[in-house]
Amino acid sequence: IKTNNIEKYMEMTTLSEFLSIMNIKIHNEYQEHALKRLYKHGYIALGDFTLPNGKKADVFAYNESEIVIFDVKVSKEDLLSDQNWKKQLPYCHSFYFLVTPELRNAAEKIAIKNKCGLYVEEEKSMKLIITDTANKEIEHADKLRLAANRKLSQKHIYGY
């Protein structure tokens, strides 16, 4: 395309960059919705939490008895190609995908196959579609809670 029509190439490049920026914006909005929902339901929640294996959870939340992780997916390519979410499973009792309405069908198949939960974003709220049924036991839950508390303290003290 670039060699045949430079104007068309530039239009496609600009559109691609715009869509990427839009996906990041949507991802951040969904992440914020999940954090607020979990907080309202009695969880301590934080975003972009690095797990002991180095993988980053979009949303990590806990209460007295449960650790929950949400993985936000806003593009079909990311949902179908990314397998890093599986490396987050050992660090939570419940794992949920949070997806756009357009990704619901594809995400349902993945969630059912892997016994994960699924929420779909609907008009600035989240609708539970599938409940996580894996009932996982996790090791070192107290260490994870302590690490999350330290991260929250760091944000409060240093601002990052």
Side-chain angles (χ1 to χ4, degrees), residues 23 26 30 73-76 79 99-108 120-122:
N23 281 347
I26 293 167
Y30 284 19
K73 300 292 183 191
V74 297
S75 75
K76 190 170 186 175
L79 176 67
V99 301
T100 64
E102 298 79 23
L103 297 178
R104 178 179 174 164
N105 292 336
E108 276 187 60
V120 174
E121 183 78 11
E122 287 189 352

Side-chain angles (χ1 to χ4, degrees), residues 30-134:
Y30 284 19
Q31 185 178 28
E32 185 176 323
H33 293 165
L35 289 165
K36 287 178 179 178
R37 179 185 181 95
L38 288 160
Y39 178 79
K40 287 178 185 175
H41 285 87
Y43 288 83
I44 296 171
L46 63 156
D48 300 321
F49 179 69
T50 303
L51 300 166
N53 64 359
K55 299 302 172 195
K56 195 169 278 193
D58 289 333
V59 175
F60 179 90
Y62 64 94
N63 61 19
E64 301 83 21
S65 61
E66 182 181 34
I67 295 175
V68 179
I69 292 178
F70 274 73
D71 194 24
V72 178
K73 300 292 183 191
V74 297
S75 75
K76 190 170 186 175
E77 298 79 24
D78 187 26
L79 176 67
L80 298 177
S81 66
D82 177 30
Q83 297 296 308
N84 282 327
W85 62 269
K86 291 180 180 179
K87 295 176 182 170
Q88 298 177 32
L89 297 177
Y91 302 101
C92 63
H93 297 102
S94 300
F95 181 90
Y96 289 90
F97 289 104
L98 173 57
V99 301
T100 64
E102 298 79 23
L103 297 178
R104 178 179 174 164
N105 292 336
E108 276 187 60
K109 292 174 187 173
I110 294 169
I112 291 169
K113 178 182 175 186
N114 294 282
K115 297 181 182 177
C116 298
L118 174 64
Y119 278 88
V120 174
E121 183 78 11
E122 287 189 352
E123 299 177 22
K124 303 288 183 191
S125 70
M126 298 165 46
K127 181 178 180 183
L128 177 63
I129 306 300
I130 300 171
T131 300
D132 180 317
T133 59

